[in-house]
Amino acid sequence: MQRSESDQACVMDESEIDRTLIRMAHQILEQNKGCENLALVGILTRGDILARRLAEIIYDIEGVHVPVGSLDISLYRDDAHIGNLPQLRGTDILFNIDNKTIVLVDDVLFTGRTIRAALDALMDFGRPARIQLAILVDRGHRELPIRADFVGKNVPSAANENVRLHLKDIDGYSCVTITRLKDGERIGSAPIGGE
């Protein structure tokens, strides 16, 4: 991994992200013995894009459109009381999740707190048969007992580094970056529309 002058390195480029999503889609299908009773739910704002891409790949493989939804966890976060009021973007789950296998999709797995919030939010929509977790990047540093079922890439990182997914749909380019934090910066998702 080569760092630039800005102390930022690209650890996955667009083609590697694409190949990784194809592999993950195959793993999801293999573990679930196909896509019967399967649905994907992506955590806003990049997990939902990844969920839609995985659904497109599953369609290319199986010829089946699996339901896809997006989940806004803003009101379920345990840090919502810190700082500003949460910015709501809206959950969009237009199918019944009861008794389905839900694959929860997110970009970067860090402490596990986002996933805990997502599980709480998802349960307000019904009772799935089971929930699996698909993560593009696992960076470690878990604070809760959360483990992904499907991991695109493990990216070891230090506590003072930020690992972010940038997607062409939002940022104009696709890349996973790792950046050393400057004094006063917080770890978090890439802002919508880039830096």
Side-chain angles (χ1 to χ4, degrees):
M1 175 176 62
Q2 187 95 14
R3 291 197 187 270
S4 68
E5 291 175 20
S6 66
D7 216 19
Q8 176 173 295
C10 178
V11 294
M12 289 179 83
D13 62 18
E14 183 173 4
S15 62
E16 187 176 359
I17 292 169
D18 292 341
R19 286 192 308 273
T20 299
L21 291 173
I22 291 168
R23 176 176 48 80
M24 290 175 70
H26 280 281
Q27 289 172 336
I28 291 167
L29 290 170
E30 182 178 346
Q31 185 164 321
N32 290 291
K33 298 177 175 48
C35 56
E36 186 178 342
N37 214 33
L38 187 72
L40 305 176
V41 174
I43 300 172
L44 291 168
T45 58
R46 287 169 176 80
D48 62 322
I49 296 170
L50 295 177
R52 287 195 305 270
R53 287 192 185 170
L54 286 167
E56 291 166 4
I57 296 165
I58 289 171
Y59 178 78
D60 291 342
I61 298 166
E62 294 285 315
V64 174
H65 290 285
V66 296
V68 182
S70 58
L71 189 62
D72 184 348
I73 62 161
S74 301
L75 296 176
Y76 294 84
R77 296 183 60 89
D78 61 7
D79 62 355
H81 65 284
I82 300 171
N84 299 330
L85 292 173
Q87 180 182 356
L88 302 180
R89 294 188 185 91
T91 292
D92 184 20
I93 299 176
L94 302 177
F95 52 89
N96 187 347
I97 70 167
D98 290 343
N99 300 312
K100 283 196 178 305
T101 295
I102 302 295
V103 179
L104 189 60
V105 182
D106 202 14
D107 54 353
V108 179
L109 179 56
F110 182 35
T111 63
R113 293 180 182 276
T114 294
I115 303 307
R116 185 219 43 91
L119 292 170
D120 288 348
L122 197 56
M123 291 312 213
D124 281 351
F125 284 87
R127 191 175 191 278
R130 69 180 163 171
I131 300 172
Q132 298 171 335
L133 179 59
I135 296 291
L136 183 66
V137 174
D138 186 342
R139 64 166 294 186
H141 302 279
R142 216 73 77 240
E143 295 174 0
L144 299 174
I146 303 279
R147 180 188 58 81
D149 300 281
F150 311 102
V151 177
K153 184 172 183 164
N154 288 294
V155 176
S157 63
N160 67 341
E161 292 177 321
N162 210 352
V163 179
R164 289 179 166 177
L165 170 65
H166 304 270
L167 289 172
K168 195 180 290 182
D169 311 58
I170 298 172
D171 307 301
Y173 65 100
S174 294
C175 181
V176 174
T177 59
I178 186 166
T179 309
R180 186 161 291 118
L181 294 174
K182 296 180 179 94
D183 290 339
E185 278 187 316
R186 286 187 52 220
I187 289 176
S189 298
I192 295 175
E195 306 302 329

